[in-house]
Amino acid sequence: MKALVLEGINQIHITDIKTPDCDNTETLLKVIYCSICRTDAKMWFQGQRDLVLPRILGHEICGYDLNSNEKFIVWPANTCNECYYCKNGAENLCSNIQIIGFHVDGGFAPYIKVPKTSLIKVPQNVPPEIACMTELLSSAVNAIEQVDLQKNQNVLIFGGGPAGLMLGLACKYFGAEPVVVENISEKLKQITPFCKKTNITISAIPAVGTFDVAINATPDPNTLREGISKLNPGGKYCLFSGFTKNTNFPTDLLNELHYRQLTLVGAYGSTKRQMETALKILENNTQAIRMLIHKIIPLESVPLVLPEILLGRTLKYVVDLQKYG
């Protein structure tokens, strides 16, 4: 089969490889769609902590079981199920985790083997090109849970890309009031239809007012200072997107955490339960989610769009794998 393989930094190619074999704990899926995450572009450009090369990227997957023809999304992880974190509902923190598209091969190929425990059945009313974006939404759900978001709280979200908008959608689901800030005027125009459809407030930077929670959906480290300055006493800042490298953490920001009893938390990936929650949110917002699709592209076009995705000036690219076999 033909697959898109990342062999090294800035080295990604279509390669003929063997269709994977499955054992009795795995299922062979025919990939229908796999959407491109900004992390995929980051791995192509500079690598990533959990990336093991060479690798077929792609972790936002929807496919069907060749035996049953049932449609599934994939929680992109395989964990030990024995450690403290696995036994206490935080399996995304398992030290032995194997992440699809990072440690093991992902969805930029016509077939993928996945653990049976990672499969989540897709409702009939959810199109596969929409379903594949559940994983990104599940990461947003994880962030919301890490800040223990309460109903009617005000949330400041930095970044109007797909991740920031998914965070906004998750906030609305949990009864909070998000404000998404974006400093690129072209992007503001792109996201306006989605935000109108979902009643999410959008703003240019800086946003007006103070907030109970701030979340970064951009790697710009300046959003840390801006977010902390906008928090109410007792507020929380969630590191959702990793910051640009070689960023010093100023001591005056540490003092702000101290004096105003602020909380700084991280969020990375998601649990299978959070993935299931995200699918419920998505099922009720399929028309809005479709607005996030910038373009559906063939596998061969992925290397061409990675630089554009890395710049953060576009919405979601979705890769169509149906013609490959």
Side-chain angles (χ1 to χ4, degrees), residues 196-218:
K196 284 184 176 179
K197 181 76 173 176
T198 54
N199 294 315
I200 293 172
T201 301
I202 54 176
S203 170
I205 296 175
V208 176
T210 58
F211 298 83
D212 304 299
V213 172
I215 308 174
N216 75 310
T218 169

Side-chain angles (χ1 to χ4, degrees), residues 167-199:
L167 282 163
L169 189 62
C171 286
K172 297 295 287 189
Y173 176 80
F174 287 100
E177 293 300 325
V179 174
V180 174
V181 293
E182 176 56 62
N183 61 357
I184 300 174
S185 57
E186 181 182 346
K187 181 70 76 63
L188 283 170
K189 292 178 182 178
Q190 288 178 359
I191 69 177
T192 294
F194 176 89
C195 291
K196 284 184 176 179
K197 181 76 173 176
T198 54
N199 294 315

Side-chain angles (χ1 to χ4, degrees), residues 3-7 11-15 17 54-57 108:
L4 188 65
V5 181
L6 181 67
E7 297 170 350
Q11 298 177 31
I12 191 165
H13 308 284
I14 299 287
T15 305
I17 65 170
R55 183 62 53 229
I56 300 173
L57 303 181
F108 293 154

Side-chain angles (χ1 to χ4, degrees), residues 7-283:
E7 297 170 350
I9 303 304
N10 292 313
Q11 298 177 31
I12 191 165
H13 308 284
I14 299 287
T15 305
D16 285 312
I17 65 170
K18 184 179 179 291
T19 301
D21 295 319
C22 297
D23 62 28
N24 59 7
T25 69
E26 298 168 321
T27 295
L28 185 67
L29 285 187
K30 174 67 179 79
V31 180
I32 307 172
Y33 292 100
C34 184
S35 52
I36 307 176
C37 178
R38 191 179 185 279
T39 302
D40 295 319
K42 176 183 174 183
M43 290 193 285
W44 161 78
F45 182 70
Q46 67 181 46
Q48 198 265 359
R49 185 196 69 172
D50 292 325
L51 177 64
V52 179
L53 294 172
R55 183 62 53 229
I56 300 173
L57 303 181
H59 55 276
E60 301 179 355
I61 302 161
C62 181
Y64 65 87
D65 184 337
L66 290 166
N67 293 318
S68 68
N69 284 323
E70 292 180 300
K71 187 171 58 179
F72 295 97
I73 53 171
V74 179
W75 176 58
N78 191 14
T79 57
C80 74
N81 298 316
E82 297 177 355
C83 68
Y84 170 85
Y85 301 104
C86 287
K87 290 181 177 180
N88 286 275
E91 62 269 26
N92 59 314
L93 300 180
C94 174
S95 60
N96 295 310
I97 194 170
Q98 295 287 293
I99 306 173
I100 291 172
F102 293 71
H103 301 99
V104 297
D105 285 338
F108 293 154
Y111 299 96
I112 182 175
K113 65 175 181 179
V114 297
K116 291 179 179 179
T117 54
S118 292
L119 296 177
I120 300 172
K121 192 171 180 179
V122 177
Q124 288 294 326
N125 61 331
V126 179
E129 68 272 23
I130 303 296
C132 67
M133 292 192 278
T134 307
E135 194 279 335
L136 177 58
L137 183 54
S138 73
S139 296
V141 171
N142 181 38
I144 297 308
E145 292 188 1
Q146 297 314 307
V147 297
D148 190 25
L149 189 67
Q150 302 297 306
K151 190 173 181 180
N152 297 322
Q153 284 190 319
N154 296 317
V155 183
L156 177 62
I157 299 168
F158 291 101
L165 299 178
M166 291 291 198
L167 282 163
L169 189 62
C171 286
K172 297 295 287 189
Y173 176 80
F174 287 100
E177 293 300 325
V179 174
V180 174
V181 293
E182 176 56 62
N183 61 357
I184 300 174
S185 57
E186 181 182 346
K187 181 70 76 63
L188 283 170
K189 292 178 182 178
Q190 288 178 359
I191 69 177
T192 294
F194 176 89
C195 291
K196 284 184 176 179
K197 181 76 173 176
T198 54
N199 294 315
I200 293 172
T201 301
I202 54 176
S203 170
I205 296 175
V208 176
T210 58
F211 298 83
D212 304 299
V213 172
I215 308 174
N216 75 310
T218 169
D220 182 0
N222 293 319
T223 59
L224 180 61
R225 180 177 296 279
E226 176 71 13
I228 287 177
S229 72
K230 289 288 183 179
L231 286 176
N232 294 320
K236 297 178 180 179
Y237 189 107
C238 179
L239 290 172
F240 179 81
S241 175
F243 287 135
T244 305
K245 289 183 177 180
N246 301 321
T247 301
N248 294 321
F249 196 100
T251 57
D252 63 322
L253 294 188
L254 289 174
N255 287 335
E256 285 295 302
L257 298 180
H258 164 60
Y259 286 116
R260 293 197 286 131
Q261 291 188 190
L262 305 177
T263 301
L264 182 64
V265 301
Y268 181 55
S270 64
T271 66
K272 187 177 180 182
R273 176 188 58 78
Q274 290 164 341
M275 191 97 168
E276 291 167 343
T277 299
L279 184 57
K280 292 177 184 177
I281 300 173
L282 186 144
E283 185 178 5

